[in-house]
Amino acid sequence: MGRWIARVIALAYLLLLLVVPVGIVFFRTFRNGFSPFWDAVTTSQAEHAFRVTVEVALFAVVGNTLFGLVAAVLLARHRFPGRGALNALIDLPLAVSPVVVGLALILVYGRFEPIGGFLDDHGVKIIFSLPGMVLATIFVSLPLLARELVPVLQEIGVEQEQAAWTLGASGLQTFRRITLPAIRWALAYGVILTLARALGEFGAVAVVSGGLVGKTQTLTLYVQQEFQNFDPIGAYSASFVLAVIAIAALIVINVLRPKEHS
Amino acid sequence: MAISVRGVSKRFGEFVALDDVSLEIPSGALTALLGPSGGGKSTLLRIIAGLEKPDAGTVEIAGTDATSLPPQRRNVGFVFQHYAAFKHMTVFKNIAFGLEIRKRPKDEVRKKVNELLELVHIEKFSDRLPAELSGGQRQRMALARALAVEPEVLLLDEPFGALDAQVRKELRAWLRRLHDEVHVTTVFVTHDQEEAMEVADTIALISAGRLEQVGTPDELYDHPANDFVMSFLGPVTTLSGDLVRPHDLELRPTAGTDTTEATVVRVMRLGFEVRVELLVDGHDLWAQVTRETARDLDLEPGRIIHVARATRRQQPDHAGTTG
Amino acid sequence: MTQLDAPVPIAHRPAPASRSVRRSPSGFGLSVGFVTIYLSLIVLIPLGAVVSRSNNHGLSGFWHQVTAPDALSALRLTVVAAALVSAINAVMGTLIAWILVRDRFPGQRVIDALIDLPFALPTIVAGLVLLALYGPNSAIHVSFAYTRPAVVIALLFVTLPFVVRSVQPVLMELDQEMEEAAKSLGASPFTTFRRVVLPNLVPAILAGTALSFARAISEFGSTVLITGNIPNKTEVAAVHIYSQIQSDNVAGAAALSTVLLLVALVALVAFNLIQRWATRRG
């Protein structure tokens, strides 16, 4: 009896908060068939937004993968002064509102700030331009990979690496031939997580991009614009694309997850 | 000497793992570093391998000072308690690893690995992943992997510690035979005195960061340097304040000049041996006798008996003065 | 570890790879340098700039900006909504974790995977999705759009996974024999839950709640579309900061940002303390 009540309440909650709203958007996207959707996502503006989104996300993923690997190895394998600080600071981006991220970057790299002004004088534009969007995206997705890798590195332990050293392998050889293969699933998992977060970032990018149509507009900014321009099918269609990417990422992650423990 | 350790000390924070330890390990010998858990023996082994750096002291391997050499350049083979198998590589690839790092020609690698697979009797499993092997097979693979690079010395850290009792016994005997075959200078860490006595040519007993005694198994057993060595290497009991081995006690029906009167408390038959628990002046004591002796003396609880110390073995150094 | 032997007592165990056995000193130095510069350029210096800008006109200037009626109202709404949302999450998250671990019903695996959807879905899409059910063109003809409940709904959506994902593993690990023992001693299912299961879940529930509070305080994207961003009514702190940036009131934006940062940091510190406490309890 109690079991049934619990089940009904929990499922009803999930249904009303999650399943039905997502379902309605999917339904409305394709209410009039496939062609309105296709037309909406193949406008030059939508296509451009998609390209910008992918471009920004790829840069962010490459940067954060490099950072995540190095930081995770430092945290899991070394003791050094400042390790505790690094451990705490790496989580910091999770506690920062995306809008604050945007503001923070403007306050350093904006044209009227010392560093940003200097760069601008030398022809490097950061805010209202792609580099700023990449920085914002890096900021919000920074901890994800390192957080996945540290526990896995700790779990596999140092013995395999030490065995490789005693067999003559250098630090780099050991990393490439022993450590990297051992963490490959966690690495894939973390990269997907970072990618999904990067593709979907809205607030931080909204602040630093200026949302210039056909220039710095990402897919999420495009959704907002289409909605505010009373073009729901445009907004729904772009949302559908983003949602499909998100769900695909979820599926991949769920496939990868069990392998962590094998 | 294959390995010379001189004045090595190592601390981890407040904890003193090794305190001024010096040890010479002869070429070709099979040496056990024996001692209780946390006594520093594994740390010493890791220092020899270059996996830890000593706070003080030097390590010499095959005549060259290795103290500041990284593990890569010491040419040691190291076998870990939990095998440290490269999980994503086949058995063959595991064993070939060191040779591939050294960029040996493919044919040579294949030939050498196949020899080693045969030597450690896992040739059937060459294409398997470590996860598909039993613990004993994995440990033999780890040994082959360490031997592949023809190390100056072979270091084994509790090599059988993670195995169950039966496999452990088999591997011990096998390691002894293997060593007789390949003759590489071998040092292994164990906390099991029986294992050390059975396998090693030389035992170095380490406790609380200090080297207690070095010698052959017989030397340590028969001429222990102190009470600790004596009690660590075999069963002991106390007679008039001195440590004695229970099998060095003689039970006699009649009193003599060298005997002490005792009351039998309990008699336990453990197969061939009989364990006799006694009471001497309110102190517990036990003796180990043969079944024959027990029958002859008609031992049973409450009986008065006379205990003498057999003379064939020596006591710890200071025992003679107090006994 | 199967044997009694540990090379060094746990408390004195050396670091996984102690300072002494770096692979190569130069590689280590390079790594530390790279990580430091990366973190500084992208995270630390910019955040420092926010805090320093909020103080440009001294503490009184900061205070002036934070206590401006619009700002104060946005802050109050955000904190109250985040607290309410965290409380609801504590209850519903635990309940959902419970049915995912202890119940068996068709479609359970799908539901389990769906829990992460709010993390994966871009926040602007989340807002749009909620608008479809609770907006002016609502499929069920109940509109919360442009009202304060809309803020709560948006925050509930984006914070859904926190408590569920924090309680779920603990519940899985929980020894069921403990519950069977309680039942064999005559406890009703409800009493068993309240007195045996719940106390064991408390750290996980609190940890998840703290994370969802930190997230709710900072949320921007999901609230943009559904709340209408009406100043003094439905405008949350992050949206208020956004509109201050748009209208070039950088000092005001920086001041409110600093407050948000502080509140979120307190929530994160609380989270860390709870985790440490939970680890100590075993």
Side-chain angles (χ1 to χ4, degrees), chain A residues 96-110 113 126-128 132-133 135-137 139-140 201-210, chain C residues 42-43 46-47 49-50 220 238 241-242 245-246 250 253 257:
Chain A
V96 181
S97 171
V99 180
V100 178
V101 172
L103 175 67
L105 291 171
I106 287 182
L107 289 183
V108 174
Y109 299 108
E113 310 300 331
I126 296 205
I127 301 301
F128 302 139
M133 298 159 75
L135 287 183
T137 307
F139 191 125
V140 297
E201 179 48 25
F202 170 67
V205 168
V207 176
V208 297
S209 72
Chain C
I42 295 172
V43 178
L47 287 183
V50 170
F220 174 68
I241 294 169
Y242 184 73
I245 298 171
Q246 299 296 338
V250 173
S257 294

Side-chain angles (χ1 to χ4, degrees), chain A residues 179-197:
Chain A
T179 314
L180 210 51
I183 61 172
R184 62 193 187 278
W185 293 114
L187 183 65
Y189 184 94
V191 166
I192 301 277
L193 226 53
T194 309
L195 184 67
R197 183 77 176 81

Side-chain angles (χ1 to χ4, degrees), chain A residues 156 158-171 173-174 177-179 181-182 184 262, chain B residues 46 51 71-72 76 78 80 82-89 97-98 100-103 145-146 149:
Chain A
I156 59 172
V158 293
E159 286 201 345
Q160 291 186 52
E161 290 162 20
Q162 293 182 340
W165 299 346
T166 62
L167 292 168
S170 71
Q173 282 174 319
T174 305
R177 303 183 59 151
I178 305 299
T179 314
R184 62 193 187 278
S262 69
Chain B
R46 293 173 62 84
L51 295 171
Q72 286 90 343
V76 297
F78 199 97
F80 293 81
H82 298 282
Y83 330 121
F86 301 144
K87 289 189 182 133
H88 59 289
M89 296 182 193
F97 185 85
E100 286 179 355
I101 290 290
R102 284 165 175 73
K103 302 226 170 7
R145 184 177 69 182
V149 298

Side-chain angles (χ1 to χ4, degrees), chain B:
Chain B
M1 287 296 141
I3 304 171
S4 297
V5 173
R6 297 201 190 97
V8 161
S9 297
K10 176 75 182 174
R11 309 169 67 117
F12 295 110
E14 289 295 290
F15 178 76
V16 181
L18 290 173
D19 183 12
D20 193 19
V21 170
S22 297
L23 178 64
E24 302 282 314
I25 291 166
S27 298
L30 181 48
T31 304
L33 300 182
L34 173 68
S37 297
K41 55 199 189 307
S42 277
T43 306
L44 180 59
L45 195 77
R46 293 173 62 84
I47 284 175
I48 296 171
L51 295 171
E52 304 283 355
K53 205 176 161 185
D55 299 333
T58 59
V59 175
E60 223 172 70
I61 298 173
T64 48
D65 182 10
T67 315
S68 54
L69 284 183
Q72 286 90 343
R73 294 178 45 208
R74 296 195 179 201
N75 203 25
V76 297
F78 199 97
V79 176
F80 293 81
Q81 177 177 4
H82 298 282
Y83 330 121
F86 301 144
K87 289 189 182 133
H88 59 289
M89 296 182 193
T90 61
V91 170
F92 186 96
K93 277 284 178 189
N94 261 277
I95 299 174
F97 185 85
L99 297 168
E100 286 179 355
I101 290 290
R102 284 165 175 73
K103 302 226 170 7
R104 297 282 163 78
K106 275 217 164 71
D107 287 350
E108 189 193 322
V109 172
R110 193 174 315 121
K111 191 163 158 278
K112 180 86 190 168
V113 173
N114 284 331
E115 275 173 31
L116 283 161
L117 282 165
E118 252 172 67
L119 181 72
V120 302
H121 306 301
I122 49 172
E123 56 270 41
K124 277 184 297 190
F125 309 123
S126 131
D127 292 329
R128 290 205 191 168
L129 288 173
E132 299 166 306
L133 301 184
S134 72
Q137 290 162 347
R138 259 183 256 178
Q139 193 58 296
R140 279 184 277 160
M141 177 195 83
L143 202 57
R145 184 177 69 182
L147 287 172
V149 298
E150 292 174 4
E152 210 69 56
V153 293
L154 182 63
L155 308 171
L156 305 101
D157 189 2
E158 293 274 1
F160 314 126
L163 302 168
D164 57 46
Q166 188 56 38
V167 183
R168 197 147 90 199
K169 280 223 154 101
E170 284 170 24
L171 272 186
R172 262 187 221 168
W174 174 81
L175 174 69
R176 182 68 243 183
R177 285 199 306 273
L178 182 82
H179 181 261
D180 294 342
E181 249 175 85
V182 294
H183 282 303
V184 58
T185 309
T186 305
V187 182
F188 75 102
V189 159
T190 178
H191 63 270
D192 179 347
Q193 45 86 21
E194 198 184 307
E195 190 166 291
M197 304 275 276
E198 188 182 318
V199 180
D201 304 321
T202 310
I203 296 177
L205 188 63
I206 296 174
S207 167
R210 298 188 142 274
L211 187 63
E212 299 284 352
Q213 191 176 358
V214 188
T216 64
D218 283 350
E219 278 166 4
L220 262 68
Y221 195 88
D222 294 338
H223 309 287
N226 54 41
D227 283 356
F228 175 80
V229 176
M230 178 157 178
S231 57
F232 197 82
L233 283 185
V236 287
T237 187
T238 317
L239 177 61
S240 354
D242 294 332
L243 284 183
V244 282
R245 301 248 183 255
H247 52 72
D248 282 351
L249 291 177
E250 220 172 90
L251 303 186
R252 300 182 193 157
T254 52
T257 51
D258 56 345
T259 62
T260 311
E261 197 180 86
T263 315
V264 177
V265 178
R266 217 148 83 94
V267 181
M268 274 178 294
R269 283 178 186 81
L270 308 163
F272 173 71
E273 296 160 355
V274 176
R275 180 186 163 112
V276 189
E277 292 186 3
L278 304 155
L279 203 62
V280 179
D281 299 335
H283 293 288
D284 290 327
L285 172 77
W286 67 278
Q288 187 182 321
V289 297
T290 60
R291 241 155 101 163
E292 210 170 53
T293 313
R295 200 169 43 232
D296 291 350
L297 289 170
D298 194 16
L299 293 176
E300 61 181 46
R303 216 181 169 82
I304 303 293
I305 203 98
H306 301 275
V307 185
R309 198 177 298 163
T311 44
R312 61 192 167 85
R313 286 186 202 270
Q314 291 205 356
Q315 295 311 306
D317 292 346
H318 64 275
T321 54
T322 50

